Amino acid sequence: MSIPTAKSDRFDVRAVVAAVQRAVGTPNGTLALHEPVFAGNELAYLDECIKSTFVSSVGKFVDRFEDMLAEYTGAKRAIAVVNGTAALHTCFRLAGVEPGNEVISPALTFIATTNAIAYCGATPHFIDSSLKTLGMDAQALGTRLDAIAQRKPEGTINRETGRRIAAIVPMHTFGHPVDMDEISAIARQWEIPLVEDAAESLGSTYKGRAVGSRAQFAALSFNGNKIVTTGGGGAILTNDEELGRRAKHITTTAKLPHKWAFVHDEIGFNYRLPNLNAALGCAQLEQLDGFLKNKRRLADAYDRAFANIPGVQFAREPEGTSSNYWLNAILLDEAHASLRDEALTELNAAGFGARPAWTLMHRLPMFSESPRGDLSVSESIERRLINLPSSASIQARDD
């Protein structure tokens, strides 16, 4: 895929800072990249939870939190766990990922996606991203599988490595949904399970439906910097009742129900979300619609502020989707990519907690030998992307 050239030879780092100031004003101190908002029933629910003495993985708030997630997303089951990485790890286990397998993943992702693959003893296989979505590129996925994949009785095999390709894991970068229809069609064509990494995208929709609501397996995160937080937490979404039951079982140390006996029928994980964290999550979910409204208003303010700035563009949600705009992002034109760090320095000096994209996974030493396709778009995004302050509490300017 070709990388767009600069729209203009004129580019001024100071104009980037001025645009952010037009959108959100001049901060008093530092405006964080993304911080939680506690403006509802958090204290009341935490107090109730503490007084109940049920503060670990059993209690009414865990059950309520799971029910609220299932209702909000439209998934049949939601299983609350300790973090998004644990949710992904469990999804991969349920999908049948085993030691010696490969899992196809974007190179542009947070390391949790790739670590969860490694926890299974599998190898990540990196695919390029799309400039439209910032997530896995369906065309790149199809091209790569056509080049290296072969159907055999034991599954889809990478002809170059001899390893079974056990799963495909698209991730909705910064809350922007990827092209799930095309990626799902490719997964079905090759009979490869799909695990949806929706860690950043609670509240985002794809063609009118919540992300994660159509996949056999999807993972959410409620880390302290997410749109809804439980302090640390995650969840597994599934539309398969039996898989939901099994997910809850293996994340509860695979313990068989009994009044007093400790019998475990397989290797499980101590991954269940504590009731204390779930109490916080219930209060946060009650406010999610308000968070989304504020964040979309902020995204619109950034979009207007950068509309006429040469050499830079604001990353809008893909057509046919609604993003939660978890993190707002701008992309410098390729010709100005060398000025990204200067722009980051100036933004942070002005009190804006801006940051670059993650280091691409294949550049990290533990994954440097992993198989990969052409990653030219991911490498371009990495060079020139800047995330801007995105908290739901930020009061965007209307002018």
Side-chain angles (χ1 to χ4, degrees):
M1 179 180 292
S2 62
I3 307 301
T5 57
K7 295 178 289 186
S8 170
D9 291 333
R10 296 181 293 113
F11 180 74
D12 187 348
V13 167
R14 293 170 299 180
V16 173
V17 177
V20 176
Q21 289 172 331
R22 281 197 300 275
V24 300
T26 301
N28 181 16
T30 299
L31 198 59
L33 183 71
H34 200 288
E35 58 187 3
V37 177
F38 302 121
N41 290 312
E42 287 89 352
L43 286 175
Y45 290 170
L46 287 169
D47 183 62
E48 181 182 347
C49 182
I50 290 169
K51 288 178 177 176
S52 76
T53 73
F54 285 90
V55 296
S56 192
S57 58
V58 175
K60 76 172 189 178
F61 286 109
V62 178
D63 296 335
R64 183 191 300 179
F65 187 56
E66 290 177 334
D67 290 343
M68 291 174 73
L69 282 172
E71 181 179 1
Y72 189 90
T73 61
K76 288 185 178 179
R77 289 290 304 273
I79 300 89
V81 294
V82 291
N83 54 54
T85 310
L88 281 167
H89 182 205
T90 305
C91 287
F92 289 138
R93 284 289 302 269
L94 293 171
V97 177
E98 299 175 342
N101 292 165
E102 287 181 12
V103 174
I104 294 183
S105 169
L108 178 65
T109 188
F110 182 57
I111 195 168
T113 313
T114 318
N115 278 344
I117 296 168
Y119 294 168
C120 296
T123 298
H125 187 137
F126 298 121
I127 295 294
D128 212 357
S129 291
S130 162
L131 281 172
K132 292 181 179 179
T133 69
L134 303 178
M136 181 180 285
D137 185 289
Q139 182 177 347
L141 173 65
T143 299
R144 184 63 176 164
L145 285 171
D146 287 342
I148 57 96
Q150 180 180 9
R151 292 286 298 126
K152 288 189 174 182
E154 61 269 31
T156 299
I157 305 299
N158 181 343
R159 289 196 299 263
E160 296 178 350
T161 65
R163 292 188 287 254
R164 183 173 73 94
I165 302 173
I168 298 169
V169 55
M171 192 273 284
H172 305 294
T173 309
F174 310 139
H176 300 321
V178 300
D179 189 346
M180 285 303 299
D181 282 352
E182 288 299 318
I183 291 173
S184 297
I186 293 168
R188 287 193 299 271
Q189 174 191 344
W190 288 99
E191 298 181 8
I192 302 173
L194 196 64
V195 173
E196 195 172 339
D197 185 346
E200 302 174 359
S201 50
L202 179 66
S204 299
T205 63
Y206 175 80
K207 296 186 176 179
R209 293 183 61 179
V211 296
S213 64
R214 300 194 302 174
Q216 190 175 28
F217 313 98
L220 299 173
S221 172
F222 309 110
N223 189 34
N225 66 350
K226 294 300 191 294
I227 189 168
V228 159
T229 184
T230 57
I236 301 153
L237 301 180
T238 182
N239 288 311
D240 187 311
E241 290 287 354
E242 176 56 27
L243 287 175
R245 184 205 63 78
R246 180 158 163 72
K248 185 172 182 178
H249 180 62
I250 66 173
T251 57
T252 317
T253 68
K255 182 181 181 297
L256 297 176
H258 195 278
K259 287 185 177 181
W260 60 81
F262 290 89
V263 179
H264 307 260
D265 61 354
E266 62 177 309
I267 295 174
F269 306 95
N270 189 16
Y271 278 175
R272 288 287 284 166
L273 185 72
N275 197 42
L276 198 63
N277 298 80
L280 188 65
C282 290
Q284 288 273 287
L285 278 176
E286 290 172 352
Q287 302 167 78
L288 178 53
D289 287 342
F291 294 163
L292 290 168
K293 182 179 179 180
N294 290 348
K295 288 174 73 64
R296 291 192 66 82
R297 182 182 174 193
L298 177 60
D300 289 341
Y302 279 134
D303 194 20
R304 290 192 302 271
F306 282 99
N308 297 311
I309 305 296
V312 61
Q313 62 179 333
F314 178 71
R316 292 294 312 193
E317 62 197 8
E319 185 178 354
T321 75
S322 177
S323 176
N324 69 1
Y325 285 101
W326 172 57
L327 289 184
N328 291 288
I330 55 172
L331 286 162
L332 307 185
D333 286 350
E334 184 65 52
H336 309 306
S338 63
L339 298 175
R340 185 205 66 180
D341 286 357
E342 182 181 344
L344 284 166
T345 298
E346 293 295 325
L347 284 165
N348 280 276
F352 300 110
R355 76 171 195 196
W358 311 285
T359 298
L360 297 181
M361 293 297 101
H362 70 289
R363 301 195 196 281
L364 301 178
M366 57 283 201
F367 302 123
S368 61
E369 300 301 318
S370 297
R372 57 183 182 266
D374 174 66
L375 300 176
S376 56
V377 175
S378 299
E379 290 167 350
S380 174
I381 293 171
E382 179 194 37
R383 283 192 296 270
R384 56 200 182 93
L385 184 139
I386 295 174
N387 286 126
L388 302 174
S390 302
S391 305
S393 58
I394 295 175
Q395 297 300 308
R397 289 185 166 184
D398 292 326
D399 55 355

